[in-house]
Amino acid sequence: MKKLYLVKPLAIGTINPMIYGHFSEHIGGVFYDGLWVGEDSPVPNIRGFRKSLVEKFRAIRPTVLRWPGGCFAETYDWRDGIGPRDERPVRLNWWHQRDQRLESNAVGTHEFIDFCRLVGAEPYFAANITSQSPMVVRDWIDYCNSPAGSTSMARLREQNGSAEPFRVHFWGVGNECWGGGGNMTPEVYAHEFRKYAAIMANSGNGLELIGCGPNGGDWRWTEKFLQHFEPSEHHMQGYSVHYYCSACGHATEFTDLEYYQMLVKAAGIETVIERNWQLISGFGMQNYARLVVDEWGCWHPEGSGPSQGRNLFEQQSTMRDALVAALTLNVFNNHCDKVRMANIAQLANNLHCLFLANEKNCITTPTYHVFDMYQQHQGGNTIRCIGDDDDSVIASSDPRQPATLASLSHSASIRNKVLTLTIANLSLTENAGIVLEPVGFQLGRDAEITTLTSNNVRACNTFAAPDCVCPTEHEGVATTLAIPPASVVCLKAKVK
Ligand code: AHR
């Protein structure tokens, strides 16, 4: 048996519920036939949104939803997505060269806000700073947030059906400005940020602006950007990081080595957080640049999803993806003093998704279940977990790509006198027997234990077998846990 010390006096901080956030872009099948089926569809819907997806999504308490991209945001004109739906312009979607799909603009600002309200999430808008002027962005903020009857934009909003402001607080100042979002250098982006942020912050009270940070481990971007950023004059409440794990076999077909390589990549998010944070605090900007990991997840080769390649980037999601999600969320919980928001990419019919949907079908992936199991962490206080096994590693025997990985990933938090402990056993072969040792508090005797596993780590849910990978629950004893290989376990127990 391994011991896991849960050390309350070494509390890390409060887990911002927005760490449990999501991302939905106008790309492939995310919206059209994913979230949105249209009001006249035979598929049960709520004002055009797929009813079953709304209900299941709401159940896992999504806190924040990023929109409309992603790269799509870089050519998006918000004015296309308001007014009578049948009069909205049809445009080239940023991704049209890859998937030939035109943008109907059926889902625009009003519809998206409606979806956010249906599922209980805060909207987080990515502003287009690549091909729109600061004034166009200002007008969008004005349109969303100005009080009823005040500005012309607020009156236009009312004319379009909503006297009530949308209260959009979170605004991304561009997306991937080092790439599709303008191909900028960090110096140029720092200048653009200052220009747009000045106008955006002036457009409404209480906005939270998110600056565009690096792609994965590109520390140079962070360093150069921060050198040219003046925190006293300019407004930034978050600093975004994108982190994808790719190129480790196929979504559903991978070797054991590729399985471990994917998890090693996933574990690399911790270094990305720590190194960026070192730079941020080195520049004294820890109050301006808390991290927002607003795109993260597995990016597998295309074609494994049910649309068989029709939906760009659509991929199946196995137990391996669930383990990546569990490990990543544990890292975010354990760094909740640095990470203020995170958004897994993307919600449906795409990369590391929670839903696969088409026509009348709509299923949840194993990753959905991880978010469900972890929801009690939202708003909890993270306490430090120290395992006496922390040096036990799984090593890849491939001399070209040696890899080490702690076999257990864990995080623990306390909220409302309930301990939530989530553990991912990353080993493909070893059971983990664990004895919990609370330090600085006592646990009640009984525990609720939920386990997500499968005897096949390549297993996934399909339209034909929607519950192939789904969690089981049982009552247990709070101090001992048996964790099967390649599984995620959540223990909840009362704190005395
Ligand atoms: O999530 C898919 C794409 O990945 C996003 O549009 C972009 O921001 C990133 O490169």
Side-chain angles (χ1 to χ4, degrees):
M1 294 291 259
K2 298 168 179 181
K3 280 191 179 164
L4 185 64
Y5 296 92
L6 306 172
V7 191
K8 191 166 175 229
L10 295 181
I12 297 168
T14 302
I15 298 172
N16 193 320
M18 288 189 302
I19 284 175
Y20 291 82
H22 300 267
F23 173 39
S24 55
E25 177 172 6
H26 287 237
I27 178 176
V30 175
F31 274 93
Y32 303 118
D33 211 22
L35 311 187
W36 176 262
V37 293
E39 285 168 313
D40 301 329
S41 169
V43 177
N45 67 84
I46 309 175
R47 294 185 292 280
F49 287 104
R50 189 183 284 280
K51 187 166 183 279
S52 60
L53 189 149
V54 166
E55 287 165 355
K56 286 178 186 154
F57 191 32
R58 190 179 175 83
I60 59 167
R61 291 203 291 149
T63 47
V64 60
L65 186 56
R66 180 170 180 250
W67 179 80
C71 292
F72 174 78
E74 305 312 343
T75 51
Y76 183 59
D77 186 336
W78 69 271
R79 296 166 296 191
D80 290 348
I82 57 171
R85 227 174 272 135
D86 54 0
E87 291 172 23
R88 294 183 191 171
V90 175
R91 303 281 188 205
L92 294 177
N93 181 306
W94 166 276
W95 299 102
H96 70 277
Q97 287 179 318
R98 294 289 308 276
D99 80 350
Q100 316 288 306
R101 211 168 287 209
L102 296 175
E103 175 56 50
S104 69
N105 282 300
V107 174
T109 301
H110 289 253
E111 289 80 11
F112 182 73
I113 292 291
D114 192 25
F115 183 71
C116 287
R117 288 180 179 159
L118 285 170
V119 301
E122 284 279 326
Y124 165 23
F125 283 6
N128 175 358
I129 72 157
T130 308
S131 54
Q132 294 288 0
S133 72
M135 286 303 276
V136 172
V137 177
R138 191 209 56 180
D139 285 349
W140 197 11
I141 297 170
D142 180 6
Y143 185 88
C144 289
N145 293 349
S146 292
S150 59
T151 64
S152 297
M153 283 292 154
R155 292 204 190 104
L156 182 60
R157 187 187 65 228
E158 181 163 6
Q159 218 175 293
N160 288 330
S162 182
E164 199 195 337
F166 294 147
R167 296 183 191 89
V168 181
H169 294 299
F170 301 107
W171 293 83
V173 184
N175 169 71
E176 297 196 344
C177 294
W178 37 263
N183 285 311
M184 299 181 205
T185 62
E187 294 87 346
V188 167
Y189 177 66
H191 170 80
E192 289 297 291
F193 181 91
R194 291 161 66 159
K195 184 170 83 186
Y196 276 83
I199 306 298
M200 291 170 76
N202 176 262
S203 316
N205 292 327
L207 299 191
E208 307 214 15
L209 303 184
I210 317 293
C212 169
N215 185 21
D218 181 6
W219 327 120
R220 201 188 130 271
W221 174 276
T222 298
E223 190 176 359
K224 295 280 173 205
F225 169 71
L226 292 177
Q227 272 170 4
H228 291 82
F229 177 76
E230 300 277 341
S232 55
E233 295 168 38
H234 302 288
H235 316 262
M236 185 164 81
Q237 284 74 35
Y239 182 64
S240 116
V241 173
H242 288 182
Y243 190 79
Y244 285 107
C245 305
S246 61
C248 300
H250 184 263
T252 54
E253 289 160 31
F254 45 87
T255 63
D256 288 359
L257 177 61
E258 287 165 337
Y259 164 88
Y260 285 121
Q261 286 170 341
M262 182 62 97
L263 287 156
V264 167
K265 283 190 182 178
I269 187 95
E270 184 152 34
T271 309
V272 169
I273 292 168
E274 285 169 343
R275 290 286 299 276
N276 273 294
W277 195 249
Q278 273 167 5
L279 285 165
I280 287 165
S281 30
F283 279 91
M285 296 199 198
Q286 57 280 11
N287 294 329
Y288 301 95
R290 298 267 306 281
L291 295 170
V292 172
V293 188
D294 56 14
E295 291 186 29
W296 67 269
C298 295
W299 192 318
H300 302 303
E302 284 171 53
S304 63
S307 75
Q308 298 183 324
R310 188 174 53 85
N311 289 334
L312 185 67
F313 298 160
E314 182 184 86
Q315 60 187 40
Q316 251 300 357
S317 193
T318 64
M319 192 58 216
R320 176 175 70 161
D321 299 275
L323 287 156
V324 167
L327 181 160
T328 306
L329 292 170
N330 283 338
V331 172
F332 293 157
N333 288 343
N334 289 328
H335 290 276
C336 63
D337 50 338
K338 310 172 188 74
V339 181
R340 66 171 312 215
M341 188 199 289
N343 311 73
I344 187 170
Q346 301 203 14
L347 185 55
N349 294 347
N350 205 264
L351 307 174
H352 211 151
C353 54
L354 279 72
F355 296 96
L356 287 165
N358 169 246
E359 296 178 351
K360 63 178 191 344
N361 297 304
C362 178
I363 58 167
T364 53
T365 64
T367 296
Y368 170 92
H369 296 302
V370 172
F371 273 81
D372 192 12
M373 290 162 70
Y374 277 53
Q375 48 169 300
Q376 177 73 18
H377 278 306
Q378 294 182 20
N381 287 311
T382 303
I383 61 170
R384 210 168 288 276
C385 299
I386 304 173
D388 67 359
D389 66 309
D390 273 2
D391 55 354
S392 77
V393 294
I394 300 160
S396 121
S397 54
D398 183 343
R400 291 161 303 163
Q401 286 169 302
T404 57
L405 184 70
S407 58
L408 294 180
S409 149
H410 31 63
S411 67
S413 66
I414 298 178
R415 183 166 71 95
N416 295 339
K417 297 207 157 194
V418 173
L419 168 83
T420 302
L421 168 66
T422 46
I423 306 186
N425 181 1
L426 309 178
S427 169
L428 282 173
T429 52
E430 304 301 316
N431 282 292
I434 295 181
V435 178
L436 301 184
E437 298 279 351
V439 179
F441 69 110
Q442 287 185 320
L443 279 176
R445 189 187 158 278
D446 301 325
E448 277 172 38
I449 297 166
T450 311
T451 304
L452 182 69
T453 193
S454 164
N455 54 15
N456 174 10
V457 78
R458 293 157 187 90
C460 58
N461 296 334
T462 62
F463 293 157
D467 296 320
C468 180
V469 185
C470 64
T472 54
E473 288 174 19
H474 70 274
E475 303 290 315
V477 178
T479 45
T480 52
L481 268 174
I483 309 188
S487 67
V488 183
V489 167
C490 173
L491 172 143
K492 285 186 222 153
K494 288 220 168 85
V495 170
K496 288 204 269 189

